[in-house]
Amino acid sequence: MRTALVTAVAGAVVAFLLGLLTFGVQATVHPHDVPLAVVAPPPVADRVQAADSAEVDIRVVSADEARNLLRDKEVYGVLEIAPGQATIRLNPAVNPSGTQVAQQVLTGVAQGAGLPVRTETQAVSAAERTAPLAASALLWVGGMVAGLLFVVLKGRDLRWLSATAAAVLVTGSTAGLLAWWGVTLNVPTFAFLLAVATAFALLQAGLFKHLGIRAMGVLGLLYLMAPAVAGQVPELLNPVYRAVLWSWTPFRFSAEGLRSLLYDGSVSTEWWVFGGIALLGVVLLLAGKKAQTDRADGIVDVGVDQADGLPRAERQHTA
């Protein structure tokens, strides 16, 4: 009776937590303060600013300032209004969810002003939109499976070699998939993929060393919840999810870095993030002793003294 109740409650709690950390992210999506830029003459600019709301943050700026903001990914879209024409400019290096919201809002603003609208942006295929987050997830799964098998197969030495070899091979397989899907990778993008894969694999290997198979409880949960968060832009997330999950998840940094390198070739913070993750993995691999391997038959070693067949603690007590 007691076991039945405990297992039932445990199942309900796990389901609730998974729903909260995964589907809850998407179920609570709502735009707020989405940054947009508008270039318009004064009379029109006044009407545009009147369209500002809690969902969007419209900035009326000069043409040069607007393009700089878009290039630096500080806004999700730019609307340039000229006599008889409105042009929406988008940056493919920006998260597609944010770009979609920007295009919808700015199109509505232009149509409200009675102007025809055209959109200027680099053409992005479905594979290119999917690639940054998909690659991040594949790199994580590859390192996680390699670390798990090292534990299951009772590997003893050269755990670091298993992790680094897995990182190289998973990077190659992921790059091959992306190329097959039609995504062109340059040298900096491939180097970043390798850096992310290495950081993931080293961290996972370090956790498996200290926690054994129990590390899957942490790594599996991260895999389930992180992509749901990393695929969104912060201005669409519930503020709680933004602060508690989005702010630190490594999937966000890998997806944003890959997306930037695919289109404008500039990342900075991301290198430091994954350098730090790799360093943490190395520290875990070098520190302490590895977790005791779980016996396949479920028997726990209690330290039997072969001299008399008694556990060591009992033998000392009887002495």
Side-chain angles (χ1 to χ4, degrees), residues 3 9 25 44 69 82 129 131-132 144 158 210 221 241 245-246 308 318:
T3 302
V9 171
V25 176
V44 180
L69 289 171
R129 285 193 297 270
M144 183 172 64
L158 301 179
H210 290 276
L221 180 61
Y241 285 115
L245 298 181
W246 181 89
D308 55 12
T318 57

Side-chain angles (χ1 to χ4, degrees), residues 271-287:
W271 288 110
W272 290 101
V273 168
F274 290 103
I277 292 175
L279 179 60
L280 176 59
V282 171
V283 170
L284 289 173
L285 286 171
L286 295 177

Side-chain angles (χ1 to χ4, degrees), residues 25-181:
V25 176
Q26 299 175 357
T28 58
V29 164
H30 181 72
H32 53 88
D33 296 324
V34 177
L36 306 172
V38 173
V39 180
V44 180
D46 293 337
R47 294 200 301 270
V48 168
Q49 282 194 310
D52 203 354
S53 65
E55 286 74 24
V56 295
D57 177 18
I58 298 178
R59 314 176 193 179
V60 178
V61 296
S62 66
D64 290 339
E65 186 177 359
R67 297 190 186 201
N68 289 336
L69 289 171
L70 187 61
R71 182 196 60 208
D72 296 337
K73 293 176 282 190
E74 294 185 20
V75 296
Y76 292 111
V78 170
L79 175 65
E80 294 187 3
I81 296 177
Q85 179 67 53
T87 303
I88 296 175
R89 303 187 189 278
L90 304 172
N91 182 354
V94 172
N95 188 302
S97 298
T99 321
Q100 183 178 15
V101 172
Q103 187 169 6
Q104 291 174 349
V105 173
L106 294 177
T107 299
V109 171
Q111 291 176 344
L115 297 172
V117 185
R118 66 187 181 95
T119 301
E120 287 188 3
T121 185
Q122 180 179 338
V124 178
S125 66
E128 289 171 327
R129 285 193 297 270
T130 306
L133 189 56
S136 302
L138 293 174
L139 297 179
W140 180 268
V141 170
M144 183 172 64
V145 170
L148 176 62
L149 287 176
F150 194 91
V151 174
V152 171
L153 298 176
K154 297 180 173 61
R156 296 181 179 274
D157 301 318
L158 301 179
R159 190 187 295 267
W160 65 269
L161 179 60
S162 170
T164 52
V168 172
L169 295 176
V170 172
T171 300
S173 64
T174 301
L177 277 174
L178 296 181
W180 181 40
W181 296 341

Side-chain angles (χ1 to χ4, degrees), residues 132-133 135-141 143 163 166-168 170-171 174 188-204 250-258 261 267 270-271 273-275 277-278:
L133 189 56
S136 302
L138 293 174
L139 297 179
W140 180 268
V141 170
V168 172
V170 172
T171 300
T174 301
T189 306
F190 185 85
F192 186 75
L193 276 176
L194 181 59
V196 172
T198 302
F200 282 169
L202 290 174
L203 175 63
Q204 291 163 336
F251 286 82
R252 167 175 74 94
F253 294 101
S254 58
E256 289 179 355
L258 287 170
L261 287 169
V267 293
E270 290 82 359
W271 288 110
V273 168
F274 290 103
I277 292 175

Side-chain angles (χ1 to χ4, degrees), residues 163-241:
T164 52
V168 172
L169 295 176
V170 172
T171 300
S173 64
T174 301
L177 277 174
L178 296 181
W180 181 40
W181 296 341
V183 179
T184 303
L185 301 180
N186 52 28
V187 173
T189 306
F190 185 85
F192 186 75
L193 276 176
L194 181 59
V196 172
T198 302
F200 282 169
L202 290 174
L203 175 63
Q204 291 163 336
L207 289 175
F208 277 118
K209 174 184 176 180
H210 290 276
L211 299 178
I213 201 168
R214 292 181 294 275
M216 282 299 299
V218 177
L219 300 175
L221 180 61
L222 285 174
Y223 173 71
L224 287 174
M225 73 179 189
V229 179
Q232 300 292 342
V233 292
E235 289 82 8
L236 300 184
L237 291 172
N238 181 286
V240 175
Y241 285 115

